[in-house]
């Protein structure tokens, strides 16, 4: 379908739904691998185009500054790290070869003969430039800590060291040598993550806002290029002719609309206007799940991700651990899953999803919907705050605009009111505004989903080691917790390392700076002519492997 026609249909459909039912929303889980009932036997002779929607304008198209799944879903298809994922396994990408020293501390990457989208050669210096950018304190990269396994990286980022002391060495144009602080068994998974993507140094030095618009100034090294960007409306990705593996990229173009409402997105999918619904793009609407299940088109997969409520521990009320405990214990997770989310999720009774390696078992930190213990904690918390009536707490629950998040919040709000006598005000905001509220601690309780950046428990736990971590968003820190996280980084014995991480998780689940709610499942639906559109356990979809067979 021509892009102009597609966008026109999108605008008309959105307008029709707004006039009919004033609804708006945002994100939820995703799943995969299914059939759509509308079979096609057509053979396409024109360009292969995939039509998608995302929930909102991506907050940032800078690999080292982006923090959210919407931005990441696009970035991973227009950039490429030293490594990437294929069929759920890490494989070489921009790096043609990697050698690891016997002590597991030095990684030597040999770059393949790859080009940037403007035709320039991808060099080792481009990687070093990007990583140092993320670590430079003035750039305020919230994901800088994911580079901390590199020797000297944390010290530089915290203003205690210099860029020259960071263990990143450009041996020559095609050779990058990286020295780590401690053996990091998942380091090659990290080099597939967006913060480890390269930046075209010459472009970034010539224009510090190179990532704000599509076009010639947006230079990338992935299988697709960002060719058009109508802010707040749509994005267009086109096949990168200069990509080193372009001959194995089937799609010519990807049209991405921005549709906040999950219901609108489902209607578009049903009408054949888009080809896929699921993470990391727009998600399956709650009220469509059962219908898609009955039609046999809904795919449900395990997902290393958690849905949770964060507490702003710098707030007077939320600074009280007993109040946080009471609110956490008084959530009926199974009831929420059975009656609202309906996606075969699992109640989250810990911080690390059971889909993560080494954390498959239920650690049993607390019981689901434990009203008796919740009331005891509430009574203790009120006394500590000098209050006598739960209604005096004046609690506000914040979330980003979404039908799903709103429905979840209303269910939990009613449970807190009925079982604890706590009145809660609901507060929703557009995605970027909401992210700003979290990062500036301008909230009391706020919802968030966290998807594993790599298949290791550390990705769910390290952000809470210090209050100033860019992804902490709670103001909470604990010296013993921090020590356990640091010890886990130095521990070379896998079993002992796992035990340290579980000890840290236990502290988190004693003080409750966050309330785990459920472990996601990955829900998705796709047209049967779409091949290779499959998420792995981390929710990745690499459009490089997708094909349209009409």
């Amino acid at each position: 379908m021509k892009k102009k026609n597609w966008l026109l249909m999108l605008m008309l459909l959105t307008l029709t739904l707004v006039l009919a039912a004033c609804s708006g929303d945002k994100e939820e889980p995703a799943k995969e691998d299914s059939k759509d009932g509308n079979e096609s036997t057509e053979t396409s002779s024109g360009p292969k185009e995939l039509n998608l929607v995302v929930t909102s304008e991506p907050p940032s198209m800078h690999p080292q500054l982006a923090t959210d799944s919407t931005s990441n879903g696009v970035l991973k298809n227009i950039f490429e790290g030293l490594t990437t994922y294929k069929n759920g396994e890490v494989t070489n990408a921009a790096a043609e070869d990697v050698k690891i020293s016997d002590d597991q501390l030095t990684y030597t990457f040999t770059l393949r003969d790859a080009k940037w989208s403007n035709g320039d050669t991808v060099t080792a210096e481009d990687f070093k430039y990007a990583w140092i950018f993320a670590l430079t304190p003035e750039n305020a990269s919230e994901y800088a800590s994911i580079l901390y396994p590199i020797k000297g990286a944390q010290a530089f980022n915290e203003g205690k060291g210099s860029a020259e002391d960071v263990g990143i060495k450009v041996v020559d144009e095609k050779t990058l040598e990286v020295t780590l602080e401690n053996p990091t068994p998942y380091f090659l998974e990290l080099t597939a993550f967006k913060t480890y993507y390269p930046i075209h140094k010459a472009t970034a030095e010539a224009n510090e806002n190179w990532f704000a618009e599509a076009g010639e100034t947006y230079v990338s090294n992935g299988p697709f290029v960002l060719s058009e960007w109508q802010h707040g409306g749509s994005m267009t990705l086109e096949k990168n002719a200069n990509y080193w593996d372009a001959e194995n990229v089937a799609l010519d173009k990807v049209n991405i609309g921005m549709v906040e409402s999950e219901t609108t997105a489902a209607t578009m999918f049903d009408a054949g206007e888009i080809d896929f619904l699921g993470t990391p793009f727009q998600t399956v609407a709650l009220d469509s799940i059962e219908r898609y299940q009955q039609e046999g088109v809904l795919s449900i997969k395990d997902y290393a991700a958690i849905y949770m409520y964060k507490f702003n521990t710098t707030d007077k009320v939320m600074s009280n651990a007993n109040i946080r405990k009471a609110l956490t214990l008084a959530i009926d997770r199974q009831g929420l899953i059975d009656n609202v989310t309906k996606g075969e999720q699992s109640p989250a009774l810990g911080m690390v999803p059971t889909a993560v390696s080494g954390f498959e078992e239920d650690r049993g930190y607390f019981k689901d919907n434990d009203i008796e213990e919740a009331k005891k904690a509430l009574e203790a918390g009120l006394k500590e705050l000098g209050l006598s009536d739960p209604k005096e707490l004046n609690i506000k629950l914040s979330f980003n605009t979404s039908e799903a998040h709103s429905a979840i919040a209303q269910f939990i709000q009613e449970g807190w009111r009925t079982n604890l006598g706590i009145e809660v005000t609901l507060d929703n905001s557009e995605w970027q505004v909401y992210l700003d509220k979290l990062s500036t601690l301008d909230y009391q309780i706020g919802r968030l989903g966290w998807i594993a950046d790599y298949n290791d428990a550390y990705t769910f736990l390290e952000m809470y080691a210090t209050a100033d971590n860019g992804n902490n968003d709670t103001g909470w820190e604990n010296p013993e917790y921090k020590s356990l996280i640091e010890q886990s980084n130095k521990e070379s014995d896998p079993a002992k390392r796992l035990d340290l991480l579980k000890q840290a998780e236990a502290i988190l689940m004693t003080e409750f700076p966050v309330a785990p709610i459920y472990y996601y499942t990955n829900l998705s639906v796709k047209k049967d002519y779409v091949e290779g559109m499959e998420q792995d356990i981390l929710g990745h979809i690499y459009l490089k492997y997708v094909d349209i067979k009409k």
Side-chain angles (χ1 to χ4, degrees):
M1 183 179 293
K2 297 294 185 183
K3 183 171 184 292
K4 289 183 179 179
N5 292 338
W6 183 76
L7 288 173
L8 178 59
M9 290 295 292
L10 169 60
M11 290 187 288
L12 289 174
L13 179 57
T14 302
L15 177 59
T16 300
L17 288 172
V18 169
L19 290 174
C22 200
S23 68
D25 59 48
K26 205 151 183 48
E27 83 194 359
E28 229 268 321
K31 274 359 157 92
E32 224 280 300
D33 215 329
S34 62
K35 283 171 56 182
D36 179 69
N38 302 318
E39 297 190 9
S40 173
T41 58
E42 286 184 47
T43 301
S44 176
S45 58
K48 293 186 176 183
E49 298 190 20
L50 180 72
N51 296 319
L52 304 171
V53 292
V54 292
T55 56
S56 69
E57 171 94 346
S60 178
M61 280 288 96
H62 191 304
Q64 281 68 44
L65 297 179
T67 63
D68 66 297
S69 58
T70 301
S71 300
N72 189 38
V74 179
L75 285 168
K76 71 178 57 168
N77 290 295
I78 56 179
F79 280 89
E80 187 170 76
L82 294 165
T83 56
T84 188
Y85 286 90
K86 185 175 184 179
N87 299 324
E89 300 293 331
V90 176
T91 185
N92 288 342
E96 188 173 49
D97 180 63
V98 55
K99 289 183 171 57
I100 306 173
S101 63
D102 291 341
D103 62 6
Q104 308 291 299
L105 291 177
T106 302
Y107 287 66
T108 303
F109 297 92
T110 301
L111 274 59
R112 66 177 72 251
D113 185 15
K115 304 284 186 185
W116 287 97
S117 55
N118 69 351
D120 289 352
T121 299
V122 177
T123 69
E125 181 62 34
D126 291 322
F127 280 93
K128 180 177 181 178
Y129 178 83
W131 299 3
I132 293 298
F133 176 93
L135 291 168
T136 302
E138 292 77 14
N139 293 329
S141 172
E142 292 185 28
Y143 257 110
S145 63
I146 205 168
L147 291 155
Y148 284 3
I150 300 173
K151 184 177 181 180
Q154 182 172 1
F156 173 49
N157 185 241
E158 294 179 348
K160 302 172 185 175
S162 68
E164 289 72 25
D165 295 328
V166 179
I168 308 169
K169 180 181 178 182
V170 175
V171 178
D172 56 45
E173 187 178 73
K174 291 293 184 183
T175 310
L176 184 71
E177 183 181 280
V178 184
T179 304
L180 307 184
E181 290 278 7
N182 303 287
T184 305
Y186 51 88
F187 187 67
L188 291 180
E189 293 192 53
L190 296 183
T191 55
F193 190 68
K194 61 179 177 282
T195 315
Y196 282 79
Y197 292 165
I199 293 176
H200 187 249
K201 181 179 178 181
T203 293
E205 288 183 335
N207 176 15
E208 63 179 11
N209 293 315
W210 62 270
F211 56 93
E213 301 291 341
E216 293 183 2
T217 61
Y218 197 100
V219 180
S220 60
N221 73 320
F224 297 90
V225 295
L226 180 59
S227 60
E228 293 184 43
W229 186 358
Q230 297 182 20
H231 291 283
S234 67
M235 306 177 91
T236 302
L237 311 185
E238 294 186 358
K239 183 175 178 177
N240 180 5
N242 286 317
Y243 179 57
W244 67 270
D245 198 25
E247 65 180 19
N248 290 314
V249 178
L251 295 175
D252 296 295
K253 182 182 289 188
V254 182
N255 302 308
I256 305 175
M258 298 174 192
V259 177
E260 188 174 62
S261 169
E262 294 147 358
T263 299
T264 301
T267 302
M268 294 177 68
F269 178 80
D270 295 341
E273 294 301 315
I274 57 176
D275 304 315
F276 173 86
L277 283 176
T279 298
F281 308 107
Q282 178 56 283
T283 54
V284 179
L286 292 181
D287 59 5
S288 298
I289 291 175
E290 288 183 295
R291 174 169 60 84
Y292 288 142
Q293 283 178 316
Q294 292 169 1
E295 293 173 358
V297 300
L298 183 72
S299 173
I300 301 179
K301 287 188 174 181
D302 288 336
Y303 195 15
I306 186 172
Y307 192 101
M308 59 187 163
Y309 281 171
K310 291 193 171 191
F311 297 110
N312 174 8
T313 65
T314 68
D315 173 80
K316 181 180 178 180
V317 173
M318 293 306 141
S319 67
N320 187 279
N322 273 311
I323 296 297
R324 301 196 301 267
K325 179 179 180 179
L327 293 168
T328 301
L329 298 187
I331 296 174
D332 181 3
R333 293 160 177 80
Q334 192 60 56
L336 175 71
I337 293 165
D338 292 341
N339 297 290
V340 180
T341 62
K342 300 179 182 179
E344 299 182 17
Q345 297 89 354
S346 300
L349 304 177
M351 192 62 208
V352 182
T354 53
V356 173
S357 178
F359 281 71
E360 293 86 355
E361 82 286 357
D362 176 12
R363 276 84 68 201
Y365 297 119
F366 57 91
K367 296 179 181 178
D368 182 26
N369 197 30
D370 192 345
I371 303 303
E372 183 178 342
E373 288 300 315
K375 287 180 176 178
K376 291 178 183 178
L378 176 62
E379 183 179 359
L382 289 172
K383 185 175 181 180
E384 289 163 357
L385 291 171
L387 303 174
S388 58
D389 189 339
K391 291 184 175 62
E392 296 179 74
L393 292 175
N394 297 319
I395 291 175
K396 180 182 289 186
L397 171 58
S398 301
F399 51 92
N400 54 289
T401 303
S402 159
E403 293 154 5
H405 302 325
S406 178
I408 291 168
Q410 289 175 51
F411 181 90
I412 293 174
Q413 174 194 42
E414 178 58 23
W416 286 341
R417 185 190 67 79
T418 301
N419 296 310
L420 300 180
I422 297 175
E423 297 293 339
V424 178
T425 301
L426 302 185
D427 166 54
N428 72 280
S429 306
E430 179 273 333
W431 183 225
Q432 184 59 64
V433 173
Y434 179 70
L435 288 178
D436 291 341
K437 283 186 177 183
L438 289 184
S439 63
T440 59
L441 297 178
D442 182 23
Y443 77 101
Q444 281 188 299
I445 306 174
R447 86 98 219 163
L448 200 67
W450 190 262
I451 305 166
D453 297 325
Y454 42 92
N455 191 5
D456 190 275
Y458 191 76
T459 186
F460 291 94
L461 300 174
E462 66 89 15
M463 72 190 84
Y464 302 106
T466 61
D468 60 2
N469 183 293
N471 290 312
N472 185 309
D473 298 330
T474 68
W476 178 87
E477 62 182 19
N478 176 293
E480 184 182 359
Y481 182 90
K482 180 181 180 181
S483 176
L484 288 166
I485 293 296
E486 291 175 345
Q487 289 176 58
S488 76
N489 280 333
K490 300 174 183 177
E491 181 55 65
S492 57
D493 183 294
K496 291 179 179 178
R497 178 176 176 273
L498 274 179
D499 183 61
L500 289 168
L501 291 173
K502 289 177 181 178
Q503 289 181 52
E505 184 188 37
I507 292 174
L508 205 64
M509 293 297 93
T510 298
E511 298 197 8
F512 297 104
V514 297
I517 298 179
Y518 62 78
Y519 300 135
Y520 278 100
T521 49
N522 217 329
L523 306 172
S524 68
V525 291
K526 66 180 178 65
K527 299 300 183 182
D528 58 357
Y529 51 74
V530 178
E531 296 185 357
M533 193 87 174
E534 301 181 1
Q535 305 111 319
D536 58 24
I537 198 171
L538 303 179
H540 298 145
I541 288 184
Y542 292 96
L543 300 177
K544 170 181 177 176
Y545 308 126
V546 175
D547 198 357
I548 299 291
K549 294 290 183 69
K550 286 188 178 181

